[in-house]
Amino acid sequence: MAELVDAVPARALAVYAHPDDAEISCGGTLATWAGAGSEVHVLVCTLGDKGSTDPDVDGGDLASRRREESEAAAAVLGVAATHRLGVPDGDLVADNETCGRIVEVVRRVRPDVVVCPDPTALLFGDRYWNHRDHRAAGTATLDAVAPAAANPHYFPGAGGDPHQVRDVYLSGTLDPNVWIDVSDAIERKIDALFCHRSQLSDTSEYFRGFLRERAEDAGRAAGVRYAEGFRRVALA
């Protein structure tokens, strides 16, 4: 059975592809940790410039709007700082450059825990194929923390002294082994997600109820009212 984890890291870094990914994937966890005194940072890898199916939307305008939305969401969650790589949507790749840029942020922030997408999760049921940017963000982050950020021979001088991340929490996983109780933070998670108005056609009470139900499903597995599940990888 998966473990219910109540330990709060002193400092955490969430690395995600798009401006709304952290809120969707682990917003309750980030709000819970921030509320308990953790210094929470978020790294957004892409601009969010292709987050629309409207052919008349200007990508630059959309990126600016989504930056504002992510800043508003971060304030709701209690995030200490948001960092950005500024890669165009769809161009994020888990190459040496991306890995090095994430290493630089890890060494500056010096988190105990890093949260990112599980890059091994490809198909969810028979209706959703995991976005390539999500997979790239997860792979590049894992490469950055195991072992690059902690090894002085990788990217020497990038961001400062080497830093060993203790644990990685992989969200959107098909194999959760830990749960975080987000019962006291579920409304903040939803409020933060609702800051991303450019991405949501429905911010009604009905949709809020749907999001609560998803967290209730995880909560039943964890034995609490609302939860978020992760695959934890212990690095130290």
Side-chain angles (χ1 to χ4, degrees), residues 17-57:
H18 307 112
D20 58 339
D21 287 351
E23 289 78 11
I24 295 168
S25 303
C26 62
T29 296
L30 299 185
T32 297
W33 287 346
S38 179
E39 182 183 310
V40 175
H41 293 249
V42 174
L43 172 58
V44 180
C45 295
T46 72
L47 294 168
D49 57 314
K50 296 183 179 69
S52 174
T53 58
D54 183 349
D56 296 323
V57 168

Side-chain angles (χ1 to χ4, degrees), residues 186-187 189-191 193-194 202-217 220 225-226:
I186 188 63
E187 300 306 324
K189 171 191 173 86
I190 298 172
D191 288 343
L193 181 58
F194 281 12
D202 184 0
T203 56
S204 66
E205 183 57 35
Y206 173 82
F207 188 53
R208 184 178 286 268
F210 168 75
L211 293 170
R212 290 193 198 103
E213 288 176 5
R214 289 184 59 189
E216 282 179 343
D217 290 342
R220 277 191 287 274
R225 186 173 184 187
Y226 298 113

Side-chain angles (χ1 to χ4, degrees), residues 7 40 58 61 82 91 102 117 122 148 154 163 166 184 188 196 209-210 219 227:
V40 175
D58 179 82
D61 291 343
T82 300
D91 289 351
I102 296 174
L122 301 179
Y154 286 83
H163 174 70
R166 187 184 71 234
D184 292 336
R188 273 177 290 157
H196 295 276
F210 168 75

Side-chain angles (χ1 to χ4, degrees), residues 66-136:
R66 296 196 69 187
R67 183 186 182 106
E68 293 172 358
E69 292 171 345
S70 69
E71 289 172 352
V76 172
L77 294 179
V79 169
T82 300
H83 313 264
R84 302 177 193 276
L85 298 188
V87 178
D89 283 12
D91 289 351
L92 186 65
V93 291
D95 60 5
N96 211 44
E97 179 182 357
T98 302
C99 179
R101 295 182 70 188
I102 296 174
V103 165
E104 183 175 356
V105 176
V106 169
R107 287 177 179 168
R108 286 205 320 266
V109 172
R110 310 189 77 75
D112 305 295
V113 171
V114 166
V115 191
C116 69
D118 184 346
T120 70
L122 301 179
L123 281 168
F124 294 85
D126 58 1
R127 300 194 58 166
Y128 181 67
W129 169 256
N130 201 3
H131 195 299
R132 60 182 288 183
D133 286 344
H134 300 167
R135 291 179 278 128

